[in-house]
Amino acid sequence: MHLDTIVALATPPGVGAIGVIRVSGPKTIELVNEVFKGKDLTSVKSHTIHLGTIRDGETIVDEVLISLFKGPNSYTKEDVIEISCHGSQFIIQQLIKLLLRKGARLAKAGEFTQRAFINGRFDLAQAEAVADLIASENESMHSAAMNQMRGGFSQEIKNLREELVHFASMIELELDFAEEDVEFASREDLKKLINNLKALIQRLTESFTLGNAIKNGIPTVIAGKPNAGKSTLLNALLNEEKAIVSDIPGTTRDVIEDVINVDGIAFRFTDTAGIRTTEDKVEAIGVERTMSKMKAASVVLYLIDMKEDQPEDVDKEIAFIKDLGVPYLLIGNKLDQAKPAVQKQLEDNNALLISASQKQNLENLKEALKELVSLDDFKSGNTIVTNLRHYESLMQTNEALDRVITGIDQEITNDFLAMDIRNSLHHLGEITGEITTEDLLDNIFSKFCIGK
Ligand code: GDP
């Protein structure tokens, strides 16, 4: 039970046309009503909006709109008021200070959402999706978060849990009848069930690679010999992006730095510092650092210099990149000044031919990039795990299930078997929040912004 009434600015700090101050808790209506001049808020209906002024004694602080939601039909399931005021820093500060003086307390980061979770509005995985939704920067991040928030992921976890609970209760029933040596659950059936669960968990954990890529951008590396045109290409790709984004006021360069969006998929160019500095120029292919950075990437754009490279070098480079075991695009650069023999060689290897400096064929390059990453799972609307915490819990569930299978094979006693099953249930419960600790909750919600 939360007795505090909390308040925070819900819109971003800074000057805006309007600012929204959110208040939630048992005293919300009474407290705002004390400073509001307009309708008597204690006698209005839920989900209504009211124009009036907020006054500090005789001083009018602002003319505002009050949106009123009565619990449990609100975001937090408590009484909630959102005050839309003029978006001046000064006004916002005055309003918040006034409410604090009247007895509200400043909300901690994520506290509104934390209350929504505690009051049962949604489970933990859904609450976490709210943070992802707010942070979503492109279409794929948005739909993964939206699916999770709407409970797609939670439902899969719930189904898993239900099957396991059934399983556990059978085993525990057998424990009750231990003297009689009965077997309610055929061990073969149980193993089948567990293997089904493991397959589902595997699908979910495998989706994390994609989920992580969606959330953080697909790690992409541009590689190639010194002077192949790596930084020219990177700048060409990024500049285009910046040109689009810089039209939107308030977007900082930092946010989009080294990320390009292709049809809603973010490609994050990693280790680009190396490309930009001259230090990289001394690196030849095969150098260990280049190798490891390419192997760590999900996608490698490998540039070959069609102007300077000799055909025999090109053969070596192609063999090298094919061997690397990472999805790659073979790209012939400097199409404007290519040696015909080398160009032919690259065409024979289905390379994409571009000119980075002339910005030629860059659209095709982006198209090819998009096709390189398999997003089938994503398109089919399958559940995708995007959260590291969920991924770790799934892995732990899987380990516990492995122990159950080994246990069955080694015919260990039912009480140990039941313990391992309970253990898998525990880890699944961590995902949706049936099992929580204060530390875990603090850790999750502190990552939210204040006011959410
Ligand atoms: P990096 O060492 O791989 O990063 O290569 P740079 O991007 O610094 O490019 C090396 C040189 O190649 C520079 O002088 C670029 O202007 C030039 N260059 C890059 N792309 C092209 C291209 O498409 N055509 C031609 N002719 N020159 C290019």
Side-chain angles (χ1 to χ4, degrees):
M1 190 62 192
H2 293 273
L3 297 174
D4 284 356
T5 294
I6 52 175
V7 59
L9 178 65
T11 41
V15 180
I18 44 177
V20 175
I21 293 166
R22 193 183 240 172
V23 192
S24 177
K27 292 220 163 105
T28 295
I29 298 176
E30 166 192 337
L31 215 138
V32 176
N33 199 45
E34 261 185 67
V35 296
F36 180 71
K37 188 142 190 202
K39 273 215 179 108
D40 176 9
L41 298 177
T42 58
S43 60
V44 300
K45 281 197 191 139
S46 181
H47 293 67
T48 51
I49 299 180
H50 309 278
L51 177 68
T53 53
I54 300 261
R55 294 174 189 233
D56 185 1
E58 290 307 302
T59 316
I60 297 179
V61 185
D62 198 13
E63 197 170 76
V64 300
L65 276 182
I66 299 279
S67 311
L68 186 143
F69 310 88
K70 287 190 184 163
N73 299 315
S74 71
Y75 183 66
T76 57
K77 289 197 150 203
E78 303 171 331
D79 287 346
V80 169
I81 281 182
E82 288 176 5
I83 305 173
S84 305
C85 61
H86 293 98
S88 121
Q89 287 283 71
F90 175 74
I91 292 176
I92 288 164
Q93 271 187 14
Q94 295 303 304
L95 290 180
I96 291 179
K97 275 190 200 156
L98 183 60
L99 292 168
L100 294 180
R101 245 173 36 227
K102 294 291 173 191
R105 157 171 84 66
L106 210 53
K108 291 184 287 196
E111 198 170 1
F112 293 95
T113 307
Q114 183 164 9
R115 288 189 175 191
F117 161 68
I118 287 167
N119 294 331
R121 187 176 212 294
F122 36 49
D123 68 36
L124 202 52
Q126 287 173 302
E128 286 170 297
V130 173
D132 290 345
L133 196 64
I134 294 173
S136 68
E137 283 171 10
N138 60 42
E139 190 184 341
S140 48
M141 283 164 86
H142 172 259
S143 37
M146 192 55 104
N147 177 30
Q148 189 179 320
M149 193 181 78
R150 294 179 65 84
F153 178 58
S154 303
Q155 192 55 47
E156 299 222 26
I157 299 297
K158 219 176 122 208
N159 295 346
L160 273 176
R161 258 180 80 90
E162 267 166 23
E163 294 206 51
L164 266 180
V165 167
H166 173 71
F167 186 153
S169 51
M170 291 301 229
I171 298 282
E172 276 162 19
L173 200 60
E174 283 179 18
L175 276 179
D176 291 343
F177 289 88
E179 312 284 274
E180 282 140 71
D181 196 23
V182 286
E183 203 175 89
F184 288 104
S186 119
R187 292 300 179 262
E188 277 318 301
D189 287 352
L190 294 182
K191 259 168 84 174
K192 241 185 246 161
L193 176 62
I194 295 213
N195 281 323
N196 285 344
L197 294 179
K198 278 173 58 70
L200 180 54
I201 289 179
Q202 192 182 351
R203 183 172 69 62
L204 289 172
T205 50
E206 278 173 359
S207 78
F208 181 65
T209 314
L210 175 64
N212 193 38
I214 287 174
K215 202 160 161 178
N216 299 316
I218 296 169
T220 309
V221 159
I222 303 184
K225 282 188 181 174
N227 284 326
K230 299 183 291 293
S231 56
T232 311
L233 176 62
L234 179 67
N235 286 333
L237 291 171
L238 293 178
N239 280 338
E240 208 178 308
E241 194 80 4
K242 274 167 197 159
I244 300 169
V245 179
S246 60
D247 282 347
I248 309 167
T251 38
T252 59
R253 224 181 74 97
D254 290 357
V255 178
I256 52 158
E257 194 134 48
D258 299 350
V259 175
I260 63 162
N261 271 296
V262 182
D263 272 0
I265 304 158
F267 291 84
R268 181 174 299 275
F269 288 89
T270 57
D271 217 350
T272 51
I275 296 181
R276 285 181 177 151
T277 59
T278 47
E279 168 227 348
D280 206 47
K281 302 228 157 138
V282 296
E283 269 185 306
I285 65 162
V287 171
E288 207 174 316
R289 207 173 79 85
T290 321
M291 290 284 283
S292 65
K293 109 185 161 193
M294 280 196 264
K295 281 192 172 146
S298 297
V299 176
V300 173
L301 305 187
Y302 195 89
L303 287 196
I304 290 185
D305 186 337
M306 296 194 291
K307 182 179 165 209
E308 304 294 342
D309 273 10
Q310 301 305 323
E312 53 281 12
D313 289 344
V314 174
D315 276 337
K316 275 189 217 147
E317 292 190 76
I318 293 175
F320 161 78
I321 183 78
K322 279 187 178 160
D323 255 14
L324 202 64
V326 175
Y328 65 90
L329 282 185
L330 185 62
I331 300 170
N333 188 29
K334 310 195 185 176
L335 183 56
D336 53 320
Q337 291 184 12
K339 280 194 191 111
V342 175
Q343 180 172 339
K344 170 85 177 37
Q345 213 177 344
L346 284 170
E347 276 167 356
D348 291 345
N349 280 285
N350 295 322
L352 193 86
L353 306 184
I354 65 161
S355 163
S357 62
Q358 312 290 312
K359 298 197 167 48
Q360 204 181 335
N361 264 345
L362 296 188
E363 280 310 311
N364 293 353
L365 191 158
K366 285 196 197 171
E367 200 55 35
L369 203 52
K370 195 181 69 181
E371 276 167 22
L372 201 59
V373 294
S374 155
L375 293 181
D376 294 348
D377 256 358
F378 187 66
K379 290 191 202 108
S380 63
N382 281 343
T383 299
I384 296 167
V385 179
T386 56
N387 185 306
L388 180 62
R389 192 182 73 77
H390 301 166
Y391 173 77
E392 283 171 348
S393 293
L394 284 170
M395 294 300 273
Q396 282 164 333
T397 308
N398 200 42
E399 277 170 29
L401 287 178
D402 280 341
R403 283 197 297 276
V404 176
I405 293 211
T406 320
I408 294 176
D409 286 343
Q410 296 176 347
E411 296 182 11
I412 58 165
T413 56
N414 280 354
D415 42 353
F416 281 116
L417 211 50
M419 208 164 75
D420 286 333
I421 299 169
R422 289 278 158 216
N423 198 255
S424 0
L425 279 171
H426 174 91
H427 290 304
L428 276 182
E430 282 172 339
I431 297 177
T432 44
E434 271 109 353
I435 314 271
T436 56
T437 64
E438 202 146 321
D439 281 353
L440 175 71
L441 290 185
D442 280 353
N443 189 13
I444 290 172
F445 288 104
S446 63
K447 296 198 183 95
F448 276 65
C449 37
I450 304 256
K452 189 63 215 178

